[in-house]
């Protein structure tokens, strides 16, 4: 085959790493027996390298096919004359096979595999790996079944490839099957296979099996320890992860950066800031505290543990920042109540020209400050449309919540209906939006639609549904949902769910029934439950049950002002002024103060806040004059002040 013209044209366009392969010194010249035609070919190493680079980098999409054509025309690749040529030819065939696999062309790879004149375990593992990477699991295991037959064989790489795709609870049985195969073949004592088994078991949610594999391993390396710690964290067994990290440090195997990252994640999940600081000190000792990903996880850990100042110090002292570290800092500010700082930080990111991705926008939409400003929320929505983030499920979920909390239910529903893909959070957010706006029947209808589309509800789904039933007084439906939650969906109700039922019964005036429901609860009632009952007693002026609920609330939440205030309101409504006075004196004696309610309004991009009796506003006098005029209008229209709930 005369290929000099191909090589000459290619070398002028290839990068240096590849052009050296095709230099004239690499070309083998073979004379045909007639000595009339010269055949120019590359040696097996060069062909393998070219095929590898083409498959990896995506360069010259047609070059691989051209080389394939040349290979099938060359007899030496079909009938090697000695062992060395046979070995070299097999390397070329496997490289060609790997090219098709890397391109995701599983059908072509399998066809080539079936037509190859020679194969080994590398060939079989290459095709098997292709099926697994493309999630063609059924086809992959058909091939694995062939490989298990006598005469063909498999090796430890085959097992690790099979385990690499077992990453969901539904595939736990496959992990166990491969585990059995490893035991029967003796590969269960090989460290890479053990590591793969541990990783797979934890990803499938089989934590006990993963730990058992770890405990039974005779030899372990840093990957083994890291796999278990990471697996425990992924399964939210944060305390166990920290204990194992401590045990690892007492042994001979030293942690690597990935181990430290997992340990810090365990601190984040368990809110263990002291242990997090100890790990931070260790990172200083080993000298990797300033690695970008380490700094990002440290900021995340401090933020989730409530130490936003420490997170900010790390961010400010960083030599290098990227989108990930800035997003972590933004989310940290938002999660720790620094809403305005989070917005300013986001504006800083925009001005600095930082690439804003969907994660950043999602974090900003989670800031409660945005929920109070429809104008700002709409600007963010415009940014979402401009950056084409509308297809991102997390961003759309944030928009649904933002519009709902800003009072715009129509736009909230519009975002939901336009979503191409929805997850359970999308459905929960929309159901909560209907409940928040008092559209109980719409919330229940959406829940039915959610079930029809085979979306599994969560405890949050039922919490929103119970709120919805409470607002529209659908008591029987609410009780039915609570039963359905446990019996049909296997979700154990939390005290928040029971509090919704109490609130539901209380709103309907069925206070004795609400008290009996609390007495029959399978779990100990908390302050949320008692406050729901006391609130209902305050509304209906029931001092007897109210006093009982208040005493329970005093014990479960001694620092709360709610029992004092609500009991004072009950006494006010019944004209029991001496009892009211006692309730107020008791609150003051215990050093409990009522948190002032705050109202706000946004005018021309400026937020104005108000509290009761506020005289600090520069226009306070004019505002009070307007309020007085409004009172006169209200009285003229027949409105009367409800004095039942006036405390001071």
């Amino acid at each position: 085959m005369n290929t000099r013209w191909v090589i000459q044209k290619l070398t002028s366009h290839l990068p240096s790493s590849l052009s050296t392969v095709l230099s004239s010194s690499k070309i083998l010249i073979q004379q045909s027996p007639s000595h009339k035609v010269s055949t120019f070919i590359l040696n097996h190493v060069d062909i393998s390298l070219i095929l590898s680079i083409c498959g990896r980098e995506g360069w010259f999409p047609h070059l691989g096919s051209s080389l394939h054509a040349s290979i099938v025309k060359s007899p030496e690749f079909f009938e090697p004359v000695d062992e060395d040529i046979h070995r070299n030819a097999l390397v070329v065939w496997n490289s060609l096979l790997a090219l098709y696999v890397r391109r995701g062309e599983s059908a072509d790879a399998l066809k080539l595999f079936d037509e190859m004149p020679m194969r080994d375990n590398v060939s079989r593992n290459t095709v098997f790996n292709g099926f697994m990477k493309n999630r063609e699991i059924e086809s992959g295991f058909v091939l694995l079944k062939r490989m298990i037959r006598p005469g063909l064989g498999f090796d430890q790489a085959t097992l690790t490839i099979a385990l690499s795709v077992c990453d969901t609870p539904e595939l736990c049985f496959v992990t166990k099957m491969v585990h059995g195969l490893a035991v029967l073949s003796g590969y269960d004592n090989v460290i890479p296979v053990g590591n793969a088994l541990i990783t797979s078991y934890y990803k499938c949610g089989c934590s006990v099996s993963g730990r058992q594999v770890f405990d039974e391993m005779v030899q372990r390396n840093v990957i083994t320890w890291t796999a278990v710690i990471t697996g425990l964290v992924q399964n939210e067994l944060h305390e166990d992860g920290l204990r194992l990290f401590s045990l690892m440090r007492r042994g001979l195997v030293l942690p690597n950066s990935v181990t430290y990252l997992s340990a810090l994640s365990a601190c984040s999940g368990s809110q263990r800031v002291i242990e997090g600081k100890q790990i931070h000190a260790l990172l200083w000792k080993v000298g990797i505290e300033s690695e970008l990903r380490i700094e990002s996880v440290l900021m995340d850990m401090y933020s989730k543990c409530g130490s936003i100042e420490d997170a900010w110090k790390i961010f400010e002292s960083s030599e290098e920042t990227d989108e990930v570290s800035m997003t972590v800092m933004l989310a940290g500010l938002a999660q720790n109540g620094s809403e305005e700082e989070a917005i300013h930080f986001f504006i800083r990111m925009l001005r600095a020209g930082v690439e804003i991705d969907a994660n950043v926008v999602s974090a900003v939409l989670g800031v409660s400050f945005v929920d109070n400003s429809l104008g700002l929320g709409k600007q963010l929505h415009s940014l979402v449309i401009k950056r084409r983030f509308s297809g991102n499920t997390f961003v759309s979920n944030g928009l649904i919540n933002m519009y709902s909390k800003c009072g715009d239910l129509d736009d909230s529903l519009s975002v939901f209906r336009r979503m191409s893909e929805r997850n359970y959070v999308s459905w929960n957010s929309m159901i909560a939006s209907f409940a928040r706006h008092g559209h109980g029947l719409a919330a229940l209808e959406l829940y039915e639609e959610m079930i029809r589309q085979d979306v599994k509800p969560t405890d949050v789904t039922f919490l929103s549904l119970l709120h919805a039933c409470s607002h529209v007084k659908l008591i029987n439906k609410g009780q039915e949902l609570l039963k359905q939650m446990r019996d049909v969906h296997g979700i154990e109700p939390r005290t928040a769910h029971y509090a919704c039922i109490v609130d539901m019964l209380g709103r309907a005036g069925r206070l004795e029934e609400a008290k009996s429901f609390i007495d029959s609860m399978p779990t100990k009632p908390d302050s949320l439950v008692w406050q729901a009952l006391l609130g209902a007693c305050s509304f209906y002026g029931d001092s007897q049950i109210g006093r009982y609920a208040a005493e329970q609330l005093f014990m479960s939440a001694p620092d709360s002002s709610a029992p004092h205030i609500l009991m004072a309101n009950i006494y006010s409504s019944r004209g029991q002024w001496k009892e009211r006075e006692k309730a107020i004196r008791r609150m003051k004696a215990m050093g409990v103060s009522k948190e002032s309610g705050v109202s706000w309004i946004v005018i021309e991009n400026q937020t104005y806040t108000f509290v009761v009796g506020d005289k600090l506003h520069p226009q306070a006098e004019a505002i009070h004059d307007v309020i007085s005029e409004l009172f006169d209008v209200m009285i003229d229209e027949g409105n009367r002040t409800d004095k039942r709930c006036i405390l001071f």
Side-chain angles (χ1 to χ4, degrees):
M1 176 183 174
N2 192 332
T3 57
R4 183 180 291 278
W5 64 273
V6 178
I7 293 166
Q8 288 174 342
K9 285 191 175 183
L10 281 176
T11 50
S12 61
H13 299 287
L14 287 173
S16 58
S17 62
L18 189 55
S19 60
T20 54
V21 175
L22 299 175
S23 63
S24 57
S25 63
K26 294 279 185 178
I27 299 172
L28 299 180
I29 303 176
Q30 290 188 351
Q31 297 291 335
S32 66
S34 62
H35 298 282
K36 292 181 180 179
V37 181
S38 294
T39 303
F40 296 85
I41 64 168
L42 300 168
N43 66 37
H44 69 284
V45 176
D46 299 333
I47 294 174
S48 299
L49 180 58
I50 294 171
L51 290 169
S52 172
I53 294 173
C54 289
R56 185 173 64 249
E57 305 293 345
W59 292 328
F60 304 103
H62 303 297
L63 179 58
S65 302
S66 300
L67 285 170
H68 188 177
S70 299
I71 290 167
V72 297
K73 292 177 183 178
S74 303
E76 59 266 33
F77 291 109
F78 288 89
E79 298 175 358
V81 295
D82 58 38
E83 189 60 33
D84 287 340
I85 294 177
H86 180 278
R87 188 167 50 251
N88 295 343
L90 186 55
V91 169
V92 172
W93 283 116
N94 287 340
S95 300
L96 186 59
L97 197 58
L99 170 68
Y100 287 113
V101 167
R102 272 193 289 265
R103 287 180 177 177
E105 299 169 4
S106 301
D108 289 336
L110 184 60
K111 185 179 179 183
L112 173 62
F113 176 77
D114 289 335
E115 295 175 353
M116 280 169 57
M118 57 197 77
R119 305 184 195 97
D120 61 0
N121 275 353
V122 174
S123 317
R124 288 182 277 273
N125 286 338
T126 300
V127 180
F128 183 48
N129 186 43
F131 281 128
M132 296 294 103
K133 280 189 173 180
N134 292 325
R135 305 300 291 189
E136 298 176 36
I137 298 175
E138 188 174 343
S139 300
F141 278 97
V142 168
L143 179 61
L144 178 60
K145 191 175 179 180
R146 287 168 55 185
M147 294 167 70
I148 296 172
R149 291 174 187 166
L152 290 178
F154 61 92
D155 55 20
Q156 65 183 57
T158 315
L159 299 176
T160 57
I161 292 168
L163 291 166
S164 67
V165 297
C166 300
D167 51 9
T168 60
E170 295 79 18
L171 293 173
C172 189
F173 78 96
V174 179
T175 303
K176 290 180 179 179
M177 181 186 74
V178 177
H179 191 177
L181 195 58
V183 172
L184 290 172
S185 59
Y187 286 122
D188 57 319
N189 293 320
V190 177
I191 292 178
V193 174
N195 294 346
L197 280 168
I198 290 169
T199 302
S200 181
Y201 272 127
Y202 277 110
K203 283 185 176 180
C204 292
C206 303
S207 303
V208 175
S209 298
R211 184 58 188 262
Q212 188 174 347
V213 172
F214 173 79
D215 291 337
E216 291 176 356
M217 287 180 69
V218 179
Q219 290 182 304
R220 304 171 185 143
N221 59 15
V222 65
I223 298 172
T224 315
W225 287 90
T226 304
V228 182
I229 296 169
T230 304
L232 289 167
V233 173
Q234 287 170 347
N235 284 270
E236 298 185 358
L237 299 169
H238 307 292
E239 300 284 351
D240 291 340
L242 283 174
R243 278 193 288 270
L244 191 66
F245 176 73
S246 178
L247 181 64
M248 178 186 183
R249 289 197 59 245
R250 293 198 291 270
L252 298 175
V253 180
L254 296 175
N256 60 19
S257 58
V258 180
T259 320
Y260 285 115
L261 289 172
S262 295
L264 287 169
S265 296
C267 295
S268 300
S270 57
Q271 306 269 296
R272 301 287 288 271
V273 69
I274 295 174
E275 287 79 357
K277 287 182 176 181
Q278 291 172 351
I279 295 171
H280 192 175
L282 288 173
L283 292 168
W284 274 94
K285 281 186 176 181
V286 296
I288 59 172
E289 81 289 342
S290 58
E291 284 186 14
L292 194 54
R293 60 179 179 168
I294 293 285
E295 286 182 333
S296 295
V297 176
L298 279 169
M299 286 188 285
D300 182 66
M301 183 272 296
Y302 281 122
S303 297
K304 287 179 178 173
C305 291
S307 300
I308 191 65
E309 297 84 5
D310 290 322
W312 183 254
K313 285 177 186 176
I314 294 171
F315 179 79
E316 286 289 274
S317 63
S318 297
E319 296 178 2
E320 181 185 2
T321 58
D322 64 356
E323 292 86 352
V324 174
S325 58
M326 296 192 87
T327 303
V328 168
M329 195 65 244
L330 175 64
L333 290 168
Q335 290 163 0
N336 284 274
S338 305
E339 289 91 355
E340 289 196 47
E341 289 84 352
I343 296 298
H344 291 313
F345 188 81
F346 176 64
I347 294 169
R348 170 180 166 181
M349 291 172 69
L350 287 171
R351 288 176 178 167
V354 176
E355 183 64 33
I356 302 298
D357 62 11
N359 293 325
V360 176
V361 177
S362 182
V364 176
L365 286 168
V367 176
S368 61
F369 183 81
V370 177
D371 296 334
N372 306 324
S373 173
L374 184 59
L376 178 58
K378 287 192 171 183
Q379 289 178 46
L380 285 169
H381 196 175
S382 298
L383 180 66
V384 167
I385 294 168
K386 285 179 182 176
R387 298 292 176 92
R388 298 181 179 180
F389 296 151
S390 300
N392 185 286
T393 305
F394 299 102
V395 171
S396 295
N397 292 344
L399 287 170
I400 291 169
N401 284 319
M402 181 274 294
Y403 277 121
S404 170
K405 290 176 181 177
C406 287
D408 194 339
L409 184 62
D410 290 339
D411 278 340
S412 186
L413 183 59
S414 177
V415 172
F416 177 78
R417 290 300 181 196
R418 288 177 182 173
M419 290 176 70
S420 55
E421 290 185 19
R422 304 184 187 110
N423 58 15
Y424 70 91
V425 177
S426 316
W427 292 92
N428 287 351
S429 298
M430 198 62 238
I431 290 171
S433 299
F434 280 130
R436 190 177 292 120
H437 287 259
H439 294 262
L441 294 176
L444 291 169
E445 287 173 7
L446 191 64
Y447 168 68
E448 295 298 333
E449 185 183 340
M450 177 184 183
I451 297 299
R452 285 195 299 271
Q453 296 199 18
D454 293 326
V455 180
K456 189 175 181 181
T458 66
D459 63 327
V460 177
T461 315
F462 287 100
L463 196 60
S464 298
L465 289 169
L466 292 172
H467 276 302
C469 291
S470 181
H471 284 301
V472 293
K473 297 182 180 178
L474 293 173
I475 298 172
N476 292 338
K477 183 63 178 177
Q479 291 174 328
E480 179 190 324
L481 284 168
L482 186 71
K483 188 174 185 299
Q484 191 182 103
M485 174 184 179
R486 183 174 44 238
D487 298 345
V488 178
H489 299 284
I491 302 170
E492 196 61 36
R494 293 183 282 116
T495 51
H497 297 91
Y498 294 118
C500 284
I501 299 293
V502 173
D503 180 65
M504 201 181 301
L505 293 167
R507 283 173 184 262
R510 293 156 63 169
L511 301 177
E512 285 288 351
E513 191 177 341
K515 182 177 177 296
S516 299
F517 176 81
I518 294 173
D519 292 337
S520 65
M521 280 174 55
T523 57
K524 184 181 179 181
D526 63 4
S527 58
L528 203 60
V529 175
W530 293 117
Q531 190 165 323
L533 180 61
L534 183 56
C537 292
S538 175
F539 184 82
Y540 285 100
D542 189 322
S543 58
Q544 184 179 353
I545 297 178
R547 195 178 294 111
Y548 171 74
E551 290 300 327
Q552 298 298 322
L553 190 53
F554 285 140
M555 289 188 287
S556 59
D559 297 329
S560 173
S561 62
H564 305 278
I565 294 166
L566 291 171
M567 281 307 300
N569 287 340
I570 291 172
Y571 294 135
S572 297
S573 67
R574 298 176 67 87
Q576 296 174 311
W577 304 111
K578 288 185 179 180
E579 295 298 326
R580 171 186 177 275
E581 186 65 27
K582 285 181 184 177
I584 295 171
R585 280 204 305 267
R586 181 179 181 180
M587 183 174 76
K588 290 180 178 178
M590 293 179 68
V592 178
S593 59
K594 179 181 180 293
E595 188 177 342
S596 299
V598 181
S599 302
W600 59 85
I601 186 171
V602 179
I603 301 173
E604 295 180 354
N605 296 325
Q606 187 170 353
T607 304
Y608 298 90
T609 57
F610 304 91
V611 294
V612 175
D614 192 350
K615 294 183 180 179
L616 296 177
H617 194 278
Q619 294 175 280
E621 189 175 341
I623 291 168
H624 282 92
D625 289 341
V626 172
I627 291 171
S628 298
E629 291 175 12
L630 287 172
F631 269 123
D632 292 338
V633 174
M634 289 166 63
I635 292 169
D636 289 342
E637 290 184 357
N639 293 295
R640 293 291 179 268
T641 306
D642 183 359
K643 297 182 179 180
R644 290 181 304 170
C645 299
I646 296 177
L647 181 57
F648 298 114

